[in-house]
């Protein structure tokens, strides 16, 4: 005879709530964020005045081909004797400002679509813009960029515009969610009750409460835009030789990896380092748990 063991039924235990970040942890995150922002500011200064930190012309033949990194040529020379350090430094403004243009296009387009959709969720404008956004998101970003580049020509400017168009849908979805969430706040509803118009509500109340996640998302996609523009140049759809854009440098040096690894590896490491820096800034800009 099989007995049935009975006993008190254990009630489900609720998950422990997340504890707020300690003051020490917050201070460490703020210090780390400041360090990363200083590094980013230094890169921007270098991009604005690359001749201040280089002493060779990036397009002149200053040494023997495939000279290994030395005291004179910090990153060595490429296949025709150009100083690789100067080319990497002069390629920074091309990559950095192209990514900045791409993010500006994405943020501007996404902000317009997101705000218009979020002010009246479920309305005619929201549904129409939602259909357009989903249609663009259905097209792979690389395919969309290639279509734009094929139509208007190659180059960093066209590549940046193409990447920005593809990234605008992500910004639109994020901003729409922020607008809808902010619209339910008590002070926003009070402003509407007092007769504030949509423009005043958006500029005075919704934007200040939404800038934090948008700022973090922008920093993240800044790095991704640099990576995408470099990838297009690597594939031959962005900048063309003899440009010092990092994707061009990587593509030009890959065939010499066996005996001159630095020609491709060093520009690749530079691109990776900047993307990681921007990704870390995006993470640190996220709000701590409540």
């Amino acid at each position: 005879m099989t007995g049935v063991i009975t006993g008190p039924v254990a009630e489900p235990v609720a998950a422990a709530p997340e504890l707020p970040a300690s003051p020490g942890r917050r201070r460490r995150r703020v210090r780390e964020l400041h360090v990363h922002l200083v590094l980013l500011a230094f890169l921007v200064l270098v991009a604005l005045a690359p001749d201040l930190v280089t002493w060779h012309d990036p397009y002149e033949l200053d040494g023997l081909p495939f000279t290994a990194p030395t005291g004179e040529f910090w990153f060595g020379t490429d296949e025709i004797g150009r100083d690789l350090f100067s080319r990497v430094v002069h390629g920074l403004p091309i990559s950095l400002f192209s990514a900045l243009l791409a993010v500006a296009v994405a943020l501007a387009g996404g902000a317009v679509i997101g705000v218009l959709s979020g002010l009246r969720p479920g309305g005619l404008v929201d549904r129409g813009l939602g259909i357009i956004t989903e249609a663009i998101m259905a097209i792979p970003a690389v395919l969309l960029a290639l279509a734009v580049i094929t139509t208007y020509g190659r180059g960093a400017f066209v590549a940046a515009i193409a990447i920005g168009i593809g990234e605008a849908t992500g910004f639109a979805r994020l901003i729409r969610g922020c607008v809808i969430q902010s619209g339910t706040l008590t002070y926003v509803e009070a402003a509407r009750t007092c007769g504030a118009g949509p423009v005043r509500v958006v500029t005075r109340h919704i934007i200040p409460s939404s800038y934090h996640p948008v700022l973090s998302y922008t920093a993240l996609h800044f790095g991704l835009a640099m990576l995408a523009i470099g990838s297009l140049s690597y594939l031959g759809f962005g900048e063309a030789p003899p440009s010092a854009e990092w994707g061009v440098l990587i593509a030009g040096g890959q065939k010499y990896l066996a005996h001159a690894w630095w020609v491709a590896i060093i520009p690749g490491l530079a691109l990776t380092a900047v993307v990681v820096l921007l990704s870390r800034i995006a993470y640190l800009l996220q709000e701590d748990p409540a």
Side-chain angles (χ1 to χ4, degrees):
M1 182 177 179
T2 304
V4 179
I5 301 176
T6 61
V9 179
E11 297 182 357
V13 180
E18 294 185 357
L19 297 177
S22 64
R25 181 172 177 269
R26 288 179 182 272
R27 285 194 296 269
R28 286 193 299 270
R29 288 189 62 169
V30 170
R31 285 197 297 267
E32 184 179 354
L33 177 60
H34 288 168
V35 170
H36 285 77
L37 289 176
V38 169
L39 292 175
L40 180 59
F42 173 74
L43 291 178
V44 172
L45 290 176
V46 171
L48 291 173
D51 291 329
L52 295 180
V53 295
T54 59
W55 48 91
H56 292 288
D57 190 297
Y59 301 102
E60 294 293 332
L61 309 184
D62 294 311
L64 297 175
F66 300 124
T67 301
T70 61
E72 181 180 1
F73 302 105
W74 288 2
F75 291 172
T77 61
D78 62 7
E79 66 275 12
I80 61 175
R82 294 172 296 193
D83 177 46
L84 189 58
F85 175 74
S86 297
R87 289 182 62 75
V88 169
V89 172
H90 282 79
L92 174 62
I94 303 175
S95 298
L96 197 65
F97 296 135
S98 298
L100 180 62
L101 175 60
V103 171
V105 170
L107 180 58
V112 172
I113 296 173
V115 170
L116 292 177
S117 298
L119 285 176
R120 294 186 180 275
L124 182 62
V125 174
D126 183 28
R127 292 197 300 268
L129 292 176
I131 293 173
I132 297 174
T133 301
E134 291 176 1
I136 296 176
M137 293 184 67
I139 305 174
V142 175
L143 183 60
L144 180 62
L146 291 179
V148 175
I149 291 171
T150 303
T151 304
Y152 296 101
R154 60 191 292 178
F157 178 80
V158 178
I161 297 296
I163 295 298
I165 293 173
E167 294 290 343
T169 55
F171 281 90
R173 291 171 66 90
L174 173 66
I175 294 172
R176 176 183 179 273
C178 292
V179 171
I180 294 175
Q181 182 179 12
S182 300
T184 61
L185 298 175
T186 304
Y187 62 86
V188 176
E189 294 179 349
R192 287 173 175 160
T193 303
C194 294
V199 175
R200 182 177 178 84
V201 169
V202 170
T203 56
R204 295 292 300 274
H205 303 289
I206 292 181
I207 290 179
S209 63
S210 304
Y211 83 94
H212 206 110
V214 174
L215 184 62
S216 176
Y217 192 83
T218 301
L220 176 63
H221 280 262
F222 197 157
L224 296 179
M226 287 191 66
L227 195 59
I229 292 171
S231 299
L232 289 174
S233 296
Y234 175 83
L235 295 173
F237 294 98
E239 287 288 292
S243 172
E245 199 274 332
W246 289 349
V248 175
L249 297 183
I250 297 171
Q254 67 174 349
K255 62 177 71 72
Y256 309 114
L257 282 173
H259 60 280
W261 57 267
W262 56 88
V263 180
I265 296 297
I266 291 180
L269 291 176
L271 178 59
T272 302
V274 177
V275 172
V276 170
L277 173 65
L278 292 168
S279 300
R280 187 61 183 172
I281 290 174
Y283 169 75
L284 294 171
L285 286 173
Q286 295 176 355
E287 291 182 334
D288 290 327

